[in-house]
Each structure stands twice: as C-alpha cells, then as structure tokens.
C-alpha cells in the first residue's frame, strides 16, 4: 500500500481511476464533481489533502472543454488546500492535435474574409508592409501641404472598391475619367495599365484569397495555451501517454512524463499474431513512420508505408487524397500502427488499399481509440479484421457496437508510473520493449 498519496478521478474516465487505485491498493479520494444550474463546474474535495501528493486522473475525451475546465478547477482546489504536490494524469492529452491545420501550397489559409487588405490589388503583403504609409504614385508635386494629392488618392481608392453593377455607377463616371487622366502619365512610366479596377468580366467581384509572397498564416497555439493553463492552475507535474506531437513537452515549464503505448502493442503482436515474423508493420501516413519503425525494428519485422500522393488543401478533401503503398504486403498479415483514431477514415482507407495489394488480413493497433462520429460504423463496414485500442478513453460503449474491437488495459502502466514518481524512482523501465 502506497502511503501519503491521494488519487482523484474526474468525470471523463472513472473506470480507469478505479483500475489505477486497485493496482496501488488504495481507494479513490472523495470528491464531489457536478454542475450548477447555469452550467458552471462545481468541485468539492471531501477529504484532507494537506501535505500529500495528489494525482488527478482526467482524460481528454468526451466533452473535452468541460473535462479540461473540471481538471483546472480541481488542480486549483488541491493547491488551495495545501497539497504538497499536484500531478495531472492525462492518458489522452487534450488539444494535442490543434497544430495540424492544413495550408495550401501557397501558404494561405483555407478561408479568408474579404477586406481591403486581402484583395489582389493591395500592394503589400501582410508582414512586409512599410512602416510609413505612402502612395503608389510617390510624393505629390504640389507646393501645398499635399491635400490635393490625398484627395486624388482617396477618390482613386473609392473607384477601385466601386462595384460596376451598382445603379449609381453613372454618378462616378466623371470622377473615374478624371482620375484615369491624372494618373495615366505616372502609370505609363511604371509599365502599368491605366485601368486599375480589378473586376471580373462577368461583373461579379472575386472573393478568392490570393496571398502575396511572404504571407504567413497566424494560428492560435492551443497546445501552449493548455500548458500555461495547467501550470497556472497549480500543476507541478504532468503524466500522459503517446502525445500526438512530442514537441508539446517543450511548452511546459514543469516536468512532463510522456509514457509510451508501444510496449503494450509489441507484446500484443508477440502473443496474438501467429508467425508475426512474416507479418509486416505498416504506417498509415508519413507522420507515424517513426513510431511504426520502432516497433518493426524491435520485433525484427518488415516495414511498409502508405503515402498520400496528392495532399489535399482542404479538410473536406482529405478523404479523397490518393494513397500509395510503399512496400510489399502480398500474402502477409498487415499490422497498421497509429497513435490515434478519431473518425477512423485513415485506417479504413489504408485497410482497403492493403487488401487490394494482396494482404491476407489487416489488424490495426492504436493507442487512443477516440472513435467519434461514424467511426464505429465505418470500421464495421471496412476491410479491417481487428482493431486493438487501449482504454486511455472509455471503450465500453464502443465494444458493444463493434465486434472487431479489442481493448488493452493501461491502468497498471499509469499505476506503476504514479508509484515510481511518488517514491522518486526512475520510470525508464516503463519505456522498455522487452
């Protein structure tokens, strides 16, 4: 029995909390988690945590935002109650995929609201505009204070933004001719056309965003924000498993232990895949190649890669990307390795390709089986013979609906990690593949 330790469980995954406590031979701490009538989160800790090591188990699944807020409030409550140390145990780290926002080849975002600064005729890029605003035609030749030149520039701007389909077009015709005559000599020197009104031939304005060289999309770093929230709430340590992007560990100013699910998957292959030496490990995308090759090398197995030949520029077009297999899977059992499956679109399309290339059976091994939306139905109709996931997120409902699904328990892994951290021991043994 581990002494001077308190394990609190959130509402996201109570089954995992009980499993961890059973391995530690302790009972879960008494805590009240509920909602007020207006939807605010209520947290009350029903026992003393003063001077104790507190471990709060909360997975980033289900209602992610509510679970995250509940975790933050619980951490703050333990810190206020004079806990010696507060550790957040996150089997599935929330918002770990937020940086995967697609760009198109020119570096522009997928959609952009139309305004003056993203029109094709705007002279400067967003991050290369000069410090001091100035006119395209240079300094005014007038000996006055430049008022005439400013008025001409404003008139020209109004003409550029003018819609020719408007019924008031006639009222601007005189001003347009005057502005064209005034700027004709200057534009001829620069080699530009006197007509600067970029309007399509059909008379309708185009809302397509065409970025200038050097344009950069600014994306909110949700991973950094979550790291700062956990730190500011009072967390002293983070324990998680198979971060989707390992660089998220660098966003924290506190220790982060990123446990691996690979030892569990490796043992499953040894014990459940007959003649696994002749099977082949397959990564469904280039991003997971390092993870898959680590398992293949440890078991002495062959490796193959599925490559998306044409990368889509829109989220809605991802499922239509052409997939190409690099490797030979004919007559073999193909083992798909990935860290996470949400909609299951990637692994089901990969299974179809592997069966088409001659694989005898396809088994998918996943650390985090979120399986949201139509994922279960998609798996049931797919060419996958078996899908193996861990219980980093609740799986009891998924197991009822999907006969192909099999679950691996990770409670003992987190329990051993908590025990070793509490006693100041090394946790490197948990990374072993043997």
């Amino acid at each position: 029995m581990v002494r001077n330790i308190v394990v609190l469980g959130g509402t996201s995954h109570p089954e995992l909390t009980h499993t961890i406590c059973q391995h530690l031979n302790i009972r879960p701490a008494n805590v009240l988690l509920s909602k007020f009538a207006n939807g605010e989160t209520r947290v009350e800790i029903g026992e003393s945590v003063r001077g104790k090591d507190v471990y709060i188990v909360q997975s980033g699944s289900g209602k992610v935002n509510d679970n995250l807020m509940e975790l933050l409030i619980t951490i703050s409550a333990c810190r206020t109650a004079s806990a010696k140390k507060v550790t957040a145990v996150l089997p599935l780290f929330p918002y770990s995929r937020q940086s995967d926002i697609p760009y198109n080849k020119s570096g522009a975002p997928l959609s952009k609201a139309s305004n003056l600064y993203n029109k094709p005729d705007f002279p400067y890029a967003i991050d290369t505009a000069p410090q001091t605003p100035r006119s395209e035609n240079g300094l005014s030749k007038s000996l006055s204070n430049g008022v005439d030149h400013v008025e001409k520039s404003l008139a020209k701007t109004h003409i550029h933004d003018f819609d020719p389909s408007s019924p008031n077009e006639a009222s601007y015709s005189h001003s347009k001719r005057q502005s064209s005559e005034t700027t004709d000599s200057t534009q001829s020197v620069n080699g530009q056309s006197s007509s600067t009104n970029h309007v399509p031939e059909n008379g309708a304005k185009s809302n397509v965003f065409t970025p200038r060289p050097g344009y950069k999309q600014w994306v909110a770093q949700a991973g950094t924000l979550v790291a700062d929230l956990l730190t500011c709430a009072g967390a002293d340590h983070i324990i998680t498993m198979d971060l989707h992007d390992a660089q998220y560990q660098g966003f924290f100013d506190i220790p982060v232990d990123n446990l691996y699910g690979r030892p569990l998957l490796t043992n499953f292959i040894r014990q459940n895949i007959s003649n696994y030496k002749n099977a082949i490990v397959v990564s469904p995308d280039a991003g997971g190649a390092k993870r898959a090759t680590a398992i293949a090398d440890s078991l002495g197995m062959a490796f193959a890669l599925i490559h998306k030949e044409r990368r889509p520029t829109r989220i809605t077009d991802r499922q239509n990307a052409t997939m190409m297999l690099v490797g030979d899977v004919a007559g073999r059992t193909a083992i798909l390795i990935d860290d996470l499956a949400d909609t299951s679109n990637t692994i089901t399309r990969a299974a179809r390709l592997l069966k088409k290339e001659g694989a005898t059976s396809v088994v998918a091994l996943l650390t985090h089986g979120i399986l949201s939306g139509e994922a279960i139905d998609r798996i049931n109709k797919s060419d996958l013979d078996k899908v193996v996931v861990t219980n980093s997120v609740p799986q009891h409902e998924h197991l009822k609906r999907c006969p192909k699904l099999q679950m691996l328990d990770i409670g003992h892994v987190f329990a051993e990690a908590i025990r070793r951290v509490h006693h100041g021991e090394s946790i490197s043994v948990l990374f072993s593949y043997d």
Side-chain angles (χ1 to χ4, degrees):
M1 179 178 180
V2 182
R3 299 182 181 276
N4 202 32
I5 186 174
V6 175
V7 176
L8 297 174
T11 58
S12 64
H13 202 345
E15 295 87 356
L16 182 60
T17 303
H18 285 285
T19 302
I20 293 174
C21 291
Q22 287 177 0
H23 286 283
L24 294 174
N25 196 22
I26 61 176
R27 62 174 182 83
N30 183 21
V31 58
L32 174 62
L33 303 172
S34 60
K35 294 281 188 181
F36 288 105
N38 61 352
E40 294 180 358
T41 300
R42 177 189 179 188
V43 176
E44 292 184 10
I45 301 176
E47 60 185 73
S48 175
V49 296
R50 182 179 296 272
K52 297 182 179 180
D53 285 350
V54 180
Y55 295 84
I56 306 172
V57 181
Q58 185 81 306
S59 187
S61 61
K63 298 180 179 179
V64 181
N65 297 327
D66 289 344
N67 294 336
L68 177 60
M69 183 57 63
E70 182 181 276
L71 173 63
L72 296 174
I73 296 176
T74 306
I75 293 174
S76 179
C78 293
R79 179 60 63 194
T80 304
S82 302
K84 179 181 178 181
K85 180 182 178 182
V86 181
T87 301
V89 181
L90 299 162
L92 173 60
F93 191 84
Y95 287 91
S96 62
R97 296 187 299 160
Q98 194 66 270
S99 61
D100 293 344
I101 297 179
Y103 293 76
N104 62 22
K105 294 182 179 180
S106 60
L110 301 184
S111 61
K112 187 75 175 178
S114 178
N115 56 50
L116 175 64
Y117 301 103
N118 63 21
K119 289 184 178 180
D121 56 350
F122 189 70
Y124 308 112
I126 289 178
D127 57 353
T128 58
Q131 295 291 333
T132 305
R134 55 188 175 85
S135 172
E136 293 180 359
N137 297 329
L139 297 177
S140 174
K141 297 181 180 180
S142 174
L143 297 179
S144 62
N145 58 1
V147 175
D148 294 338
H149 181 71
V150 173
E151 291 179 352
K152 292 176 182 179
S153 299
L154 290 175
K156 182 180 177 181
T157 302
H158 285 295
I159 293 172
H160 286 186
D161 293 338
F162 175 66
D163 189 352
S165 63
S166 173
N168 297 327
E169 181 182 3
S171 62
Y172 291 93
S173 59
H174 176 71
S175 299
K176 183 175 180 180
R177 287 195 302 272
Q178 182 179 359
S179 176
S180 299
E181 293 172 0
T182 304
T183 59
D184 180 68
S185 60
T186 305
Q187 292 176 353
S188 62
V189 173
N190 296 331
Q192 298 177 350
S193 173
S194 60
S195 176
T196 58
N197 190 12
H198 297 272
V199 179
E201 296 180 357
N202 58 4
K205 282 191 173 182
S206 176
N207 291 327
V208 178
F209 178 74
T210 55
R212 295 290 180 176
Y215 177 79
K216 185 186 298 182
Q217 182 187 13
W218 296 100
V219 181
Q221 297 291 338
T224 306
L225 174 62
V226 173
D228 293 339
L229 288 173
L230 291 170
T231 304
C232 292
D236 300 300
H237 190 193
I238 303 294
I239 300 177
T240 185
M241 176 175 280
D242 275 356
L243 282 169
H244 185 69
D245 197 344
Q247 70 173 353
Y248 276 84
Q249 298 176 77
F251 296 161
F252 287 89
D253 296 328
I254 58 178
V256 178
D257 286 324
N258 181 29
L259 306 179
Y260 295 155
R262 291 197 289 258
L264 291 173
L265 304 182
T266 303
N267 290 334
F268 178 86
I269 293 175
R270 285 197 184 103
Q271 299 172 8
N272 297 275
I273 303 297
S274 59
N275 195 16
Y276 68 89
K277 289 289 186 179
N278 293 329
I280 185 169
V281 175
V282 182
S283 176
D285 52 34
K290 184 177 181 180
R291 183 184 306 106
T293 52
I295 294 179
D297 293 342
S298 65
L299 296 175
M301 300 173 60
F303 171 75
L305 173 69
I306 293 178
H307 173 65
K308 292 182 179 178
E309 189 176 1
R310 292 193 302 269
R311 285 203 171 273
T313 59
R314 304 190 179 204
I315 296 177
T316 54
D317 294 340
R318 279 189 172 183
Q319 59 183 1
N320 299 323
T322 302
M323 304 179 76
M324 178 177 61
L325 177 64
V326 181
D328 183 17
V329 299
R332 294 181 173 183
T333 298
I335 304 174
L336 284 168
I337 303 292
D338 207 351
D339 67 321
L340 182 147
D342 188 2
T343 61
S344 300
N345 183 65
T346 299
I347 60 172
T348 53
R349 295 185 66 234
R352 186 188 314 124
L353 176 63
L354 293 172
K355 283 292 184 72
K356 182 180 178 181
E357 295 294 331
T360 57
S361 62
V362 180
V363 180
L365 303 183
L366 313 167
T367 303
H368 307 295
I370 301 176
L371 307 180
S372 59
E374 300 178 354
I376 296 297
D377 296 334
R378 190 173 287 117
I379 291 175
N380 289 332
K381 298 177 182 178
S382 70
D383 292 321
L384 288 166
D385 296 288
K386 182 181 292 186
V387 178
V388 181
V389 298
T390 69
N391 61 340
S392 61
V393 299
Q395 300 290 348
H396 54 277
E397 293 295 333
H398 298 157
L399 291 171
K400 295 177 181 178
R401 297 175 52 198
C402 184
K404 298 180 180 180
L405 199 63
Q406 183 174 343
M407 187 186 72
L408 299 178
D409 182 33
I410 59 173
H412 65 284
V413 178
F414 280 96
E416 182 64 16
I418 290 173
R419 189 193 68 80
R420 288 178 173 270
V421 170
H422 177 66
H423 291 294
E425 301 175 6
S426 173
I427 63 171
S428 60
V429 65
L430 301 178
F431 304 146
S432 174
Y433 297 99
D434 299 328

